Amino acid sequence: MFLSCYIELYEMGWNLKDGLRDCLVAAAPYGGPIALLKAHNRRSPSARPQLEIFSSSGLPLASFPWKSGMVKQLGWTVSDDLLCVQEDGTVLVYDLLGGFKRHFSMGNEVSQSQVLETKIFHSPYGTGVAILTGALRFTLATNIDDIKLRRLPEVPGLQGAPSCWAVLTQDRQSKVLLASGPHLFILDNTACTPVTPPGLSPQASSIVHMCVSFSYKYLALLTDSGHVWMGTSNLKEKLSEVDTKIKGSPKQMAWCRRPKSQQPSAVVMWDGLLLVVGECKETIQYHLEDDSILVPELDGVRIISGTHHELLQEVPDISFTEGMKINMGLYGIFFLSQLLSLQAASFGKCFLSNFPPEQFVSMCKDLRVLNAVRDYTVGIPLSHTQFKQMTLQVLIDRLVYRKLYLLAIEVCRYLKTPEYQGVSRVLKHWACYKVQQKEESDEVIAKAVSVKLADAAGISYSEIATKAYESGRTELAIKLLEFEPRSGEQVPLLLKMKKSPLALSKAIESGDTDLVYTVVMYLKNELNRGDFFMMLRNQPVALSLYKQFCKHQEQDTLKDLFNQDDDHEELGNFYVKASYKEKVCVYSSFFLIFLPADRSAIKVQQIMVASFPPMAWV
């Protein structure tokens, strides 16, 4: 028997006049943010809809007027970036606070044929985008951070848009499963293959909806006869088939199955009705008062309406297992349930011999962290299963993306995360954000950063300075570089900022000969010859090293340096050494004259050279 629990997460903090009606809505998994965009009014294209981003509790994170093209789909990446797919195939990327990051195109063919439907999906390679064009062809990008567009094969006999389709990830490859009437096809890189679900009801004449489980292992199909077929996504095994006794296309369908559960379960939503189907023939119904959307999760389904945010989960067969290992089916939301369960566990473990306390202590710590991030003001309603799958590092990233730096630091310290992975990393993100603020002066920001980061281990001030420079605050970047103890980290940014004299000084102060040579060679290529020599004259150490380089590599440049400095002694030595190397000799009609090495002989040499014709020299 399949049992489900319906848990209220939040009363939504937003105030939506018409609820979710006529809105494009996208909610990120793992309790992530929610994006809303009112559908474009084609009759009044000049009216600008508002793109709004909220936390899972409905608190506003960002809002701005949409000034670009017609949006077909919204979706979230694995790192909580918002994707807005336009009708022409352009995809705009924003962070969860509404900051524009970049855009990319899904190709000329998509642009010419226009986007008919699109799906945003996650795979082992990252976040992907699948497009069905007006020409009834599919184009896929498996990873938006490394765009490689794939055009899938045509579907034979396809005259119109498929009744439904989904993206599958199988055998390390993303494929499209589509339904056209009673027929199913799988499209991969090379072929379009017809497939047949085993045991599908013969009463069905077409498949009207489909959904894939969170792990891509299972598939649910809804037929026009009202039957829900559930099986493996490779279509080799049937798990169950249930008659919903409702005909017609639903608004949405999603899997609702806990990890390692033995029961297939799916949720189908029509207007005002939510139906849970499992292994048995019975179904569970919930009535919906408002327009809602389903958000599939690792261990359930979130249901978001204009007023409430709820979680639907499968109830486990048992509440306790041997050895006091608590299966906390409901602990994830209710504080009282947590408290009672932990009190019972604490009492019970006293009657067990050799019971290791680490598991109990670890669970208490996890619960405290989860309660903190589930708080209404934060709005990340994670279950314990999701938290363990997500990992602590990703949770810290999510808090950092929301600028909740203090909470992130407290979590790191409470769970004793290593400094470089925890507090130092959070402080670096805070500093990079701080230096981009325009309201405060360079001196105030530099001092605040130095005070906050004074005791933090492994902080790279050069990275923070780079962010300041990219934000147009060059002087602030220079001030921040003063806190960087490693000259090798200072110099590259100073060169990039065209602060060549300072870069050269820092390189010399470091005592690193290789670093000095690096700067000198950079300046040699960047400056004209006169400015380059003049800068070296002001830095004796650099000049000396460059002369050493020229002695072995550029003899003519060395001579120019002596000439510029009017260094006659070194110039004389240069000519003498050059003469011995070349073994130049002068032929007279009587004997060979070898050039002497003393200074007075140079003039003689010049006179003799002038007095003999050029053909006399060998």
Side-chain angles (χ1 to χ4, degrees):
M1 175 67 183
F2 176 82
L3 295 176
S4 63
C5 56
Y6 206 94
I7 306 162
E8 182 174 309
L9 302 179
Y10 305 107
E11 285 189 15
M12 298 301 281
W14 57 31
N15 184 19
L16 304 179
K17 182 179 179 182
D18 299 319
L20 302 182
R21 188 184 311 155
D22 299 325
C23 282
L24 285 175
V25 187
Y30 294 97
I34 306 167
L36 297 179
L37 180 66
K38 276 287 186 182
H40 288 76
N41 188 346
R42 291 183 180 272
R43 294 181 180 179
S44 179
S46 60
R48 298 290 185 184
Q50 198 79 359
L51 179 58
E52 299 175 282
I53 302 175
F54 300 89
S55 70
S56 283
S57 57
L59 296 184
L61 298 176
S63 177
F64 56 94
W66 184 256
K67 298 180 180 180
S68 192
M70 190 78 64
V71 178
K72 297 290 289 186
Q73 184 73 33
L74 299 175
W76 293 94
T77 70
V78 292
S79 56
D80 277 357
D81 284 336
L82 178 63
L83 302 184
C84 306
V85 185
Q86 296 188 154
E87 196 172 39
D88 62 357
T90 302
V91 182
L92 286 76
V93 186
Y94 296 84
D95 64 31
L96 61 75
L97 297 181
F100 177 75
K101 298 182 75 172
R102 62 189 178 95
H103 74 278
F104 61 90
S105 172
M106 291 296 290
N108 291 332
E109 182 183 349
V110 175
S111 177
Q112 293 171 3
S113 302
Q114 301 286 283
V115 175
L116 194 60
E117 295 178 20
T118 180
K119 296 186 187 297
I120 294 167
F121 62 96
H122 301 144
S123 74
Y125 306 102
T127 301
V129 178
I131 300 285
L132 173 63
T133 70
L136 305 181
R137 297 293 300 269
F138 287 92
T139 297
L140 260 68
T142 306
N143 181 6
I144 63 167
D145 294 322
D146 182 20
I147 298 291
K148 295 178 181 176
L149 297 177
R150 291 190 292 128
R151 187 171 184 249
L152 301 186
E154 285 187 88
V155 180
L158 188 64
Q159 299 298 319
S163 53
C164 56
W165 60 281
V167 179
L168 305 176
T169 298
Q170 298 174 345
D171 305 323
R172 302 180 65 84
Q173 185 183 14
S174 295
K175 307 175 183 179
V176 168
L177 174 69
L178 68 91
S180 177
H183 305 293
L184 272 178
F185 300 92
I186 288 184
L187 301 179
D188 58 21
N189 291 342
T190 58
C192 173
T193 307
V195 290
T196 302
L200 184 64
S201 171
Q203 301 175 36
S205 59
S206 64
I207 297 168
V208 297
H209 212 91
M210 65 174 65
C211 69
V212 184
S213 69
F214 198 83
S215 64
Y216 289 99
K217 292 182 179 179
Y218 303 101
L219 174 70
L221 304 172
L222 177 66
T223 67
D224 58 349
S225 62
H227 289 79
V228 175
W229 179 95
M230 289 174 280
T232 56
S233 60
N234 58 13
L235 296 170
K236 292 183 178 179
E237 182 183 356
K238 175 183 175 181
L239 300 177
S240 174
E241 190 171 36
V242 178
D243 185 2
T244 65
K245 298 181 171 49
I246 301 176
K247 297 182 180 181
S249 297
K251 293 177 63 178
Q252 207 175 344
M253 188 163 69
W255 274 83
C256 180
R257 178 186 178 124
R258 287 180 176 274
K260 301 181 181 179
S261 170
Q262 300 301 314
Q263 302 185 79
S265 54
V267 179
V268 191
M269 183 176 69
W270 289 269
D271 283 325
L273 177 64
L274 194 71
L275 200 68
V276 182
V277 297
E279 193 168 27
C280 61
K281 302 302 179 184
E282 297 179 9
T283 60
I284 304 172
Q285 293 187 3
Y286 297 95
H287 290 281
L288 304 175
E289 295 180 359
D290 302 317
D291 290 319
S292 303
I293 65 162
L294 303 180
V295 185
E297 290 285 3
L298 175 68
D299 54 351
V301 175
R302 287 191 288 143
I303 304 162
I304 302 173
S305 71
T307 56
H308 290 82
H309 190 164
E310 293 147 317
L311 174 67
L312 184 66
Q313 279 188 312
E314 172 191 348
V315 175
D317 293 333
I318 54 176
S319 298
F320 298 91
T321 59
E322 61 176 356
M324 295 299 296
K325 293 180 182 177
I326 304 173
N327 193 326
M328 308 284 273
L330 299 178
Y331 91 91
I333 307 303
F334 298 114
F335 179 78
L336 181 59
S337 298
Q338 297 174 16
L339 187 60
L340 293 175
S341 297
L342 291 174
Q343 286 177 344
S346 179
F347 178 76
K349 68 184 177 67
C350 298
F351 296 93
L352 297 175
S353 59
N354 300 322
F355 179 78
E358 292 79 12
Q359 184 180 358
F360 181 80
V361 173
S362 176
M363 179 62 75
C364 290
K365 288 185 175 181
D366 288 348
L367 287 178
R368 188 170 182 183
V369 170
L370 290 174
N371 286 334
V373 300
R374 290 172 190 147
D375 186 83
Y376 182 81
T377 58
V378 180
I380 305 179
L382 282 174
S383 69
H384 189 261
T385 303
Q386 294 168 19
F387 173 52
K388 288 303 182 183
Q389 177 75 14
M390 172 191 281
T391 73
L392 175 61
Q393 291 300 315
V394 176
L395 176 58
I396 297 301
D397 287 341
R398 285 201 161 194
L399 295 176
V400 166
Y401 296 153
R402 287 165 170 76
K403 313 302 182 206
L404 299 173
Y405 301 110
L406 181 58
L407 178 57
I409 289 172
E410 289 177 349
V411 169
C412 291
R413 286 175 175 162
Y414 179 67
L415 296 180
K416 297 181 180 179
T417 308
E419 188 86 359
Y420 71 95
Q421 293 179 334
V423 175
S424 290
R425 189 165 66 93
V426 176
L427 285 174
K428 188 192 77 171
H429 280 286
W430 167 81
C432 289
Y433 169 72
K434 184 73 173 176
V435 299
Q436 297 178 69
Q437 305 310 299
K438 305 296 184 183
E439 301 81 19
E440 299 180 15
S441 66
D442 294 345
E443 292 75 12
V444 171
I445 292 178
K447 184 177 180 180
V449 170
S450 66
V451 170
K452 287 284 188 183
L453 274 57
D455 299 325
I459 293 289
S460 173
Y461 283 92
S462 63
E463 291 184 34
I464 303 169
T466 299
K467 187 62 68 174
Y469 173 66
E470 291 173 350
S471 301
R473 306 190 70 165
T474 303
E475 293 305 315
L476 175 58
I478 294 174
K479 291 180 183 295
L480 292 170
L481 283 178
E482 292 298 324
F483 303 120
E484 176 59 64
R486 297 163 295 181
S487 299
E489 296 291 325
Q490 294 176 314
V491 168
L493 181 57
L494 288 171
L495 292 176
K496 185 177 180 181
M497 294 190 295
K498 306 299 182 184
K499 301 295 180 180
S500 304
L502 186 55
L504 186 55
S505 297
K506 292 293 183 183
I508 293 170
E509 288 175 14
S510 72
D512 186 340
T513 305
D514 290 339
L515 186 59
V516 177
Y517 272 127
T518 299
V519 177
V520 169
M521 291 300 105
Y522 173 86
L523 297 176
K524 180 176 181 291
N525 293 327
E526 290 293 315
L527 303 177
N528 63 57
R529 196 177 182 86
D531 291 342
F532 174 60
F533 285 171
M534 188 61 66
M535 184 175 290
L536 291 183
R537 289 185 68 180
N538 297 326
Q539 295 287 357
V541 175
L543 178 59
S544 176
L545 288 173
Y546 185 60
K547 286 179 179 179
Q548 290 297 325
F549 167 79
C550 292
K551 284 180 181 179
H552 299 284
Q553 301 291 334
E554 297 181 4
Q555 292 284 326
D556 290 341
T557 303
L558 186 61
K559 183 178 66 174
D560 292 341
L561 283 170
F562 294 151
N563 272 322
Q564 178 175 285
D565 293 341
D566 293 328
D567 193 337
H568 301 294
E569 183 175 351
E570 286 298 331
L571 191 60
N573 290 335
F574 171 80
Y575 278 115
V576 170
K577 290 177 182 178
S579 66
Y580 275 114
K581 286 182 180 179
E582 297 175 5
K583 295 182 180 178
V584 179
C585 58
V586 182
Y587 282 96
S588 70
S589 58
F590 302 101
F591 54 88
L592 287 172
I593 302 175
F594 289 94
L595 298 177
D598 60 275
R599 180 179 177 85
S600 60
I602 292 178
K603 294 182 179 179
V604 176
Q605 172 201 347
Q606 292 174 341
I607 294 172
M608 292 176 66
V609 169
S611 62
F612 284 88
M615 292 184 62
W617 292 87
V618 179

